[in-house]
Amino acid sequence: MPCGQPDSGAAPARYVLGVDVGSTVVKCHVYDRAAAVRGSSYRKVESLYPRPGWVELDPEVLWSQFIGVIKEAVQAAGLHMKQIAGLGISTQRGTFITWHKRTGKPFHNLISWQDLRSAELVNSWNKSLLLKVIHVVFTVLHFLTGNDRYLAPSFFTFSTHQTSMKLSWVFKNIHEAEEAAKKNNCCFGTVDTWLLYRLTKGSVYATDYSNASSTGIFEPFTKCWNPTLCRLLSIPMSIYPPVKDTSFNFGSTDSEIFGVPIPIMAVVADQQSAMFGECCFHPGDVKLTMGTGGFWNVNTGEHLFASRGSLYPLIGWKIGEEVVYLTEGSISDIGTAIKWALDIELFTNVNETAEMAQSTADSQGVCFIPGLQISGDDPYLCAAFTGLKPSTNRNHLVRAILESVAFRNKLLYDIIVKKVHIPLRTIRADGGVSNNSFVMQMTSDLINKKIEKPANAEMSSLGAAFLAGLASGFWTDKKQLKKLRRIEAVFEPQKDSEEYRPAMDAWLQAMKHSPHW
């Protein structure tokens, strides 16, 4: 019998689905009660580049891929759709779309979080007198009240990664969206909202707290869409979806899509989902994801920390009365740089890179400068190698790329230790680059901390499944989830971090000079 068709003899619902809509891949895993993967499917995300700096996704293609991986994964598991107890959806953050409320027709393609079309707007705002005045006002308010909610606006700057500026660009440049908004007929949604809307044929319009807080438009202190920011950028408040709990019954998929309705029991942003999948449930737990980019997340419990510079506060998840906050720092272009090296044939298989890096005692003075540095605040920076010599070979180049990942991990970890005043507990790594033993060992050496790597590196899918399983009663509580964790490897410090000092100092010098080239 084909997948998705009801079968009167099918077994009861004993499985949950975790779908992760990432920047490069859409993947679905079918999990049993032991959190073992029973079936999987992957499809590559095809980004569109209509103009220099623009990055888009075709919403119809993404929708087709999303439905396809679910059907294929269930079929690969040898199951029927009616055996699925719930669906959890993890999505890339900050990618969004707007559409007509009445017709459901999009005004434009999905605009990716990687898109740079708002760069001129960002630069203009960051140099504006108005933003300087805002900084002064909030600095005074923070000084007078000591309230942390006034700290972040006192040094706030816009960046191209934020949804707010790109959304402002939409209303300045797409007339149909602007006109629809004036008539209260424009809907805004990140990827999760768009998929919910499509899965329910328009009957559910919502997002969750993790996705909302990742847009930069949602105020984590008040847990509301930010009216001040929207007035500043001329974005109508009427466009935003209601915000629901992360682990929550959002309704069911329309029965025509999969043959039977499937309960949608969780939607969650990908980094928060990976945090949940790693079972980082306690204040001080740390999750390091190394995929397309790198993300350090610290569970700060019920305390929301406003911090300067490279760290920013987020809502991790909301389940009933429980709201868990995170502090996050990000590193751009980790997996991207490794993929580029593969594309130009520095190696033929990613699995070779750790061995290549270990085959040479050092990079022979070669440094790799990533395109976007730790803060990611200059969209025009380009990647570069320095220190090339006639004797430089592929192993040196590969080692330099991998060292740059570990060095950036060290810098961000030091910022976290300095600014997050919570004792750090366990550090757990996931993402494709966590499979690289050279990067993992070097990071452990540099930060002088043990790092755990789970047996299943697909943490965003697992986190979404865990959240869906809790909402559906498939799993009872977090205590049960922690018992399902499987650790594949533990990396403990083997070298004194001072042994890396000459190489890291040379790299820091190269980083310092690179913006002037």
Side-chain angles (χ1 to χ4, degrees), residues 388-453:
L388 299 177
K389 306 171 188 67
S391 57
T392 299
N393 61 36
R394 293 181 185 205
N395 294 344
H396 298 127
L397 297 176
V398 168
R399 183 173 177 117
I401 291 172
L402 299 186
E403 282 183 344
S404 79
V405 176
F407 290 152
R408 286 183 289 161
N409 279 337
K410 164 67 172 169
L411 291 181
L412 198 45
Y413 175 80
D414 286 350
I415 292 169
I416 289 167
V417 169
K418 183 178 178 182
K419 295 191 175 180
V420 179
H421 305 298
I422 291 178
L424 301 184
R425 291 162 44 105
T426 58
I427 300 176
R428 294 166 182 164
D430 66 272
V433 183
S434 71
N435 292 318
N436 189 294
S437 60
F438 179 84
V439 171
M440 291 288 287
Q441 186 59 57
M442 189 171 176
T443 300
S444 174
D445 291 344
L446 285 168
I447 67 174
N448 195 33
K449 289 285 182 182
K450 179 174 75 173
I451 305 175
E452 295 178 2
K453 181 190 172 298

Side-chain angles (χ1 to χ4, degrees), residues 3 9 19 75 79 85 115 148 151 191 225 244 255 259 355 434 448:
C3 172
V19 185
Q75 193 164 30
L79 303 174
D115 187 280
D148 269 2
L151 179 59
V191 175
W225 297 107
K244 306 290 186 185
S255 58
E355 192 176 326
S434 71
N448 195 33

Side-chain angles (χ1 to χ4, degrees), residues 19 30 46 49 83 118 132 134 151 162 296 319 339 342 398 446 480 511:
V19 185
V30 182
E46 298 293 342
Y49 305 95
Q83 292 173 264
S118 63
K132 290 181 175 65
I134 289 168
L151 179 59
Q162 293 161 350
W296 284 79
I319 304 173
K339 183 181 181 300
L342 175 64
V398 168
L446 285 168
Q480 183 185 6
M511 288 279 281

Side-chain angles (χ1 to χ4, degrees), residues 337-348:
I338 294 170
K339 183 181 181 300
W340 167 80
L342 175 64
D343 290 343
I344 65 164
E345 299 181 355
L346 279 182
F347 48 85
T348 54

Side-chain angles (χ1 to χ4, degrees), residues 67 105 116 147 150 153 193 235 328 363 438 447 463 476-477:
I67 297 304
K105 184 181 176 185
L116 301 178
N147 191 329
Y150 298 127
T193 304
I235 300 171
E328 179 174 280
S363 66
F438 179 84
I447 67 174
T476 53
D477 53 29

